Amino acid sequence: MEDIEDLLAGSGGGGAPPGFRLPINSVGVKPRKNNNNNKKPPQPTQLDYSKLSKVDDQLTPFSPQTKLPKTKIAFSVKIPPTQFPSSPEVPGTQTIYIKTFGCSHNQSDSEYMAGQLSAFGYVLTETPEEADLWLINTCTVKSPSQSAMDTLITKGKNAKKPLVVAGCVPQGSRDLKQLEGVSIVGVQQIDRVVEVVEETLKGHEVRLLHRKKLPALDLPKVRKNKFVEIVPINVGCLGACTYCKTKHARGHLGSYTIESIVNRVRTVAADGVKEIWLSSEDTGAYGRDIGVNLPKLLNAIVAELPPDGSTMLRIGMTNPPYILEHLKEIAEVLRHPYVYSFLHVPVQSGSDAVLTAMNREYTVSEFRTVVDTLTELVPGMQIATDIICGFPGETDEDFAQTVSLIKEYKLPQVHISQFYPRPGTPAARMKKVPSNVVKNRSRELTSVFEAFTPYTGMEGKVERIWITDIAADGIHLVGHTKGYIQVLVVAKEDMLGASALVKITSVGRWSVFGEVIETLTRIDEKAASNRRIYSQDKRSPCSSQSETCACSAEPQSCACGPESCAVLGNEKLLEDLRSKKLIGWLLRRRKNHVQKTVEANTASESKKKLEWDGGSLNEWDAFDIALVGGMFISLLTILAVLIYFGFSTFSSL
């Protein structure tokens, strides 16, 4: 069945009249039955909410030819205020508790939902007992996370709290018994969370799961960490892994446009965000559905990063198949001074036989190519990976190959998990490895990994870090190096959001400890914005103008495209010409040209001082010649006028 708005638009009635907001529960696909045959049915001009107990866009099939009963939609008349169900409180004044399970994409969805609820007037709380409604955003990757959801739903029902469940679990398994009696909002319906919450608080059960387009990226947002913005660049993926339940929820690949992502990056950078995380089920597959690719997106984003290096970019998880053809371009971006030299590339197994059973669409050799290439091309590159222990059919030899791969690369981050069969996936029907064997393999690999000392040798080094969080101990602040190594420092909370130089004093297994040497100053944001505009037509991916570009010696093309930049330049030109101040326009263009020339020389670390009064004519450009020519013509005109008046005066005598 289509979404409610889509249903109304296709019903032939033209939808709701302009300015009329149709209540979500005015479409009752499961109205309560009235056993009293003596009562007249409700008239088309009225809407009896007592007969509408549940809205579920999944239960009734719909097609454009379906005729809807007139008693169920009253969009062509006014509904008297007395027809609305009574509520002890005004909508938008209640308190909402939000609990999030799962990945950074889920976290971003929760932040978007929190932003919309807050903007509508709802109060957010971290104390579930204080809340009038619980919103639970779920994860379906592993059984433990879904079990935690079940426990929380049961607790909420026992506390008689209205519940709204969002995320991948209801989207991928909408008929779960645990979801009976609760409202559901799908992963692509998060922009309608206010409606769902409003109706749930009225006692209605609402289910919204279908959507034809992606939610906008410019929705209101309340970040869990005000210094970290999570930007989803696409939903779904192109893979078909046999163990994955997320595919059932997030679906096929759907990419946001480069323009919408860049606009979001530009907005949050201006808001003071210090880390931007690109989130996706598979970052490497970005754009294949809309005719672009990941390198194009990354170059466009990098061009928008503040030039003082106050904001860092972190690229999200990517599977090997879709990054292989772009390795050099990705390495170039990762070398940029304001992009973390870090990438999460899951391998899942060191055995080609197991990877084939998983339908991962790459080999161990191809994973090695990704790691080896990035490590070679990107100084200080840090790579994280994932391993699933005990996948169906995994033999002792297969597992030994996985252990050997992990020992060979000694990666600083390895996420190890046991295989969990997810209902509805092909792997759930495969012959399982005994549970005790799975546990033993997981323990063995964990023991191997925890014996690594990846940060040995860092003591005494000076590193630049970006500080964005407070450690769990409440004493240290958390920062990250260019390679996204976690650094713990003792400093005041006003250091949050700052970048600093630190000296590494000691190293641990999971992080290092440092001492702040210097808090790096930031240039004026207005000046930075002006400099970006001046150099927009010839922009380098290096944000700092005082250092050599680490990623490329060649200037990069404008992120918005040549056409957009040309339009911007022409609009500026027309505005100046319309002001009829030609000399002022020439002087401003001359000033801009001088500034660009100085910045270009600074960026190339030229030590030669510019001496304008000593330059030869062949070093001048069109603006210099036009300016001097205009001044020369003006002088000739004035001289001619003076001669004319002088001659006229002399003749009269």
Side-chain angles (χ1 to χ4, degrees):
M1 183 173 176
E2 299 295 340
D3 215 352
I4 286 178
E5 281 86 349
D6 299 328
L7 184 149
L8 289 173
S11 63
F20 178 80
R21 180 186 177 193
L22 183 68
I24 195 171
N25 57 352
S26 63
V27 179
V29 294
K30 287 190 65 178
R32 292 178 181 173
K33 293 182 179 179
N34 190 347
N35 296 324
N36 190 344
N37 297 325
N38 296 325
K39 290 188 178 181
K40 295 181 179 180
Q43 298 301 315
T45 56
Q46 294 182 344
L47 187 62
D48 188 351
Y49 283 88
S50 65
K51 298 180 183 297
L52 304 175
S53 60
K54 180 174 179 179
V55 176
D56 189 333
D57 65 348
Q58 302 301 310
L59 299 179
T60 304
F62 176 77
S63 68
Q65 292 75 31
T66 303
K67 292 185 178 180
L68 300 175
K70 291 183 179 179
T71 55
K72 292 188 179 181
I73 300 181
F75 56 80
S76 60
V77 297
K78 288 186 177 180
I79 301 177
T82 55
Q83 291 296 315
F84 286 90
S86 59
S87 175
E89 295 186 60
V90 177
T93 61
Q94 294 90 341
T95 302
I96 310 296
Y97 168 69
I98 301 177
K99 176 64 177 178
T100 306
F101 298 95
C103 64
S104 60
H105 197 160
N106 253 25
Q107 181 60 47
S108 177
D109 286 351
S110 289
E111 292 175 358
Y112 273 124
M113 290 189 286
Q116 295 170 84
L117 291 168
S118 180
F120 195 76
Y122 289 102
V123 178
L124 306 177
T125 180
E126 295 184 359
T127 306
E129 292 76 17
E130 296 177 355
D132 299 303
L133 177 143
W134 291 3
L135 172 57
I136 306 169
N137 196 4
T138 61
C139 172
T140 190
V141 171
K142 301 177 184 178
S143 297
S145 59
Q146 186 166 331
S147 298
M149 177 208 75
D150 296 341
T151 301
L152 192 58
I153 289 176
T154 301
K155 184 178 178 181
K157 288 181 177 179
N158 292 338
K160 300 189 182 304
K161 299 287 186 180
L163 300 176
V164 175
V165 179
C168 293
V169 171
Q171 188 74 59
S173 305
R174 63 194 64 174
D175 297 325
L176 285 176
K177 184 178 180 180
Q178 294 88 334
L179 299 177
E180 293 179 359
V182 304
S183 290
I184 290 174
V185 56
V187 293
Q188 292 186 33
Q189 294 277 11
I190 60 172
D191 54 352
R192 299 185 61 188
V193 67
V194 172
E195 299 172 67
V196 176
V197 166
E198 185 177 337
E199 295 303 321
T200 303
L201 286 168
K202 292 176 183 177
H204 304 136
E205 181 184 338
V206 183
R207 293 192 169 204
L208 299 179
L209 291 167
H210 283 321
R211 191 62 179 264
K212 294 179 180 178
K213 61 181 181 180
L214 301 176
L217 292 178
D218 58 356
L219 295 170
K221 200 170 192 181
V222 174
R223 302 182 190 96
K224 182 178 180 181
N225 183 333
K226 69 178 183 179
F227 299 111
V228 177
E229 168 72 10
I230 305 170
V231 180
I233 63 173
N234 58 266
V235 299
C237 67
L238 294 175
C241 299
T242 55
Y243 58 85
C244 182
K245 186 71 173 178
T246 305
K247 177 80 173 187
H248 295 189
R250 296 285 181 177
H252 197 67
L253 180 68
S255 302
Y256 286 95
T257 64
I258 290 179
E259 180 184 9
S260 63
I261 296 170
V262 169
N263 286 341
R264 183 66 185 177
V265 168
R266 188 184 298 119
T267 299
V268 300
D271 287 344
V273 163
K274 303 306 175 186
E275 282 188 5
I276 297 173
W277 298 359
L278 301 184
S279 178
S280 166
E281 279 68 57
D282 187 355
T283 302
Y286 169 80
R288 288 174 176 261
D289 56 322
I290 59 174
V292 295
N293 56 43
L294 183 61
K296 289 182 180 179
L297 172 66
L298 295 178
N299 286 323
I301 292 175
V302 163
E304 294 297 331
L305 296 178
D308 60 347
S310 59
T311 302
M312 293 292 287
L313 177 68
R314 194 184 84 171
I315 303 173
M317 185 273 290
T318 177
N319 289 311
Y322 303 109
I323 195 178
L324 280 167
E325 63 186 270
H326 301 304
L327 279 178
K328 291 185 178 180
E329 294 94 329
I330 299 298
E332 185 176 356
V333 174
L334 289 167
R335 289 199 301 267
H336 189 281
Y338 305 138
V339 178
Y340 285 121
S341 304
F342 169 83
L343 200 60
H344 179 193
V345 187
V347 63
Q348 305 299 6
S349 175
S351 164
D352 284 339
V354 174
L355 292 178
T356 300
M358 292 179 172
N359 196 29
R360 289 291 288 172
E361 301 180 345
Y362 60 86
T363 63
V364 176
S365 175
E366 289 172 328
F367 171 78
R368 291 177 184 273
T369 298
V370 172
V371 176
D372 293 344
T373 302
L374 293 180
T375 302
E376 177 185 356
L377 297 180
V378 184
M381 184 69 196
Q382 299 284 305
I383 294 177
T385 196
D386 299 344
I387 295 291
I388 296 176
C389 291
F391 188 81
E394 182 186 64
T395 64
D396 289 340
E397 182 181 353
D398 293 329
F399 177 68
Q401 292 175 6
T402 299
V403 174
S404 176
L405 181 71
I406 298 303
K407 285 182 176 180
E408 177 183 351
Y409 282 100
K410 292 183 170 60
L411 299 176
Q413 296 184 39
V414 180
H415 309 127
I416 302 168
S417 65
Q418 301 175 27
F419 169 74
Y420 293 100
R422 305 300 293 131
T425 62
R429 300 189 296 270
M430 297 179 182
K431 185 177 180 180
K432 298 175 181 61
V433 176
S435 58
N436 63 320
V437 174
V438 175
K439 291 179 182 179
N440 288 337
R441 289 176 180 174
S442 176
R443 292 192 188 105
E444 180 182 344
L445 187 59
T446 300
S447 177
V448 168
F449 166 64
E450 291 182 348
F452 298 159
T453 54
Y455 307 129
T456 300
M458 286 190 67
E459 286 187 66
K461 289 186 175 181
V462 175
E463 298 276 354
R464 181 177 182 178
I465 66 170
W466 288 262
I467 303 172
T468 57
D469 209 347
I470 301 175
D473 61 8
I475 300 173
H476 295 86
L477 300 184
V478 180
H480 292 92
T481 67
K482 173 75 165 62
Y484 210 67
I485 298 172
Q486 182 174 272
V487 182
L488 303 178
V489 297
V490 177
K492 295 181 180 180
E493 286 191 20
D494 60 9
M495 284 285 291
L496 285 169
S499 177
L501 292 178
V502 299
K503 182 178 180 180
I504 306 302
T505 56
S506 61
V507 299
R509 174 59 188 85
W510 312 108
S511 57
V512 300
F513 295 84
E515 180 181 274
V516 176
I517 299 175
E518 178 186 359
T519 302
L520 300 180
T521 57
R522 305 167 192 159
I523 65 174
D524 180 68
E525 285 296 324
K526 185 175 181 181
S529 177
N530 289 337
R531 181 159 64 248
R532 287 198 294 273
I533 293 174
Y534 292 145
S535 59
Q536 191 172 19
D537 59 334
K538 199 173 185 179
R539 190 169 199 165
S540 167
C542 291
S543 297
S544 175
Q545 299 294 341
S546 61
E547 59 185 2
T548 303
C549 181
C551 56
S552 174
E554 297 296 327
Q556 300 296 305
S557 59
C558 176
C560 58
E563 297 83 5
S564 300
C565 290
V567 170
L568 179 63
N570 290 337
E571 288 177 353
K572 181 71 175 175
L573 174 61
L574 290 173
E575 180 184 353
D576 281 318
L577 289 177
R578 281 195 297 267
S579 69
K580 298 185 184 298
K581 295 181 179 179
L582 182 59
I583 299 298
W585 174 75
L586 287 170
L587 290 173
R588 284 193 296 274
R589 295 301 298 267
R590 172 65 177 162
K591 178 182 178 182
N592 294 348
H593 172 67
V594 172
Q595 181 167 350
K596 286 193 290 185
T597 305
V598 172
E599 289 178 354
N601 280 272
T602 303
S604 63
E605 296 185 348
S606 173
K607 297 182 180 180
K608 181 179 179 180
K609 183 179 179 181
L610 297 175
E611 297 180 357
W612 299 104
D613 55 352
S616 61
L617 183 61
N618 59 7
E619 293 174 338
W620 291 11
D621 66 3
F623 294 116
D624 297 294
I625 298 172
L627 180 60
V628 174
M631 295 173 64
F632 181 71
I633 292 172
S634 298
L635 288 173
L636 287 178
T637 303
I638 294 171
L639 182 60
V641 171
L642 289 175
I643 293 174
Y644 173 77
F645 279 109
F647 181 77
S648 299
T649 304
F650 179 77
S651 298
S652 65
L653 294 175

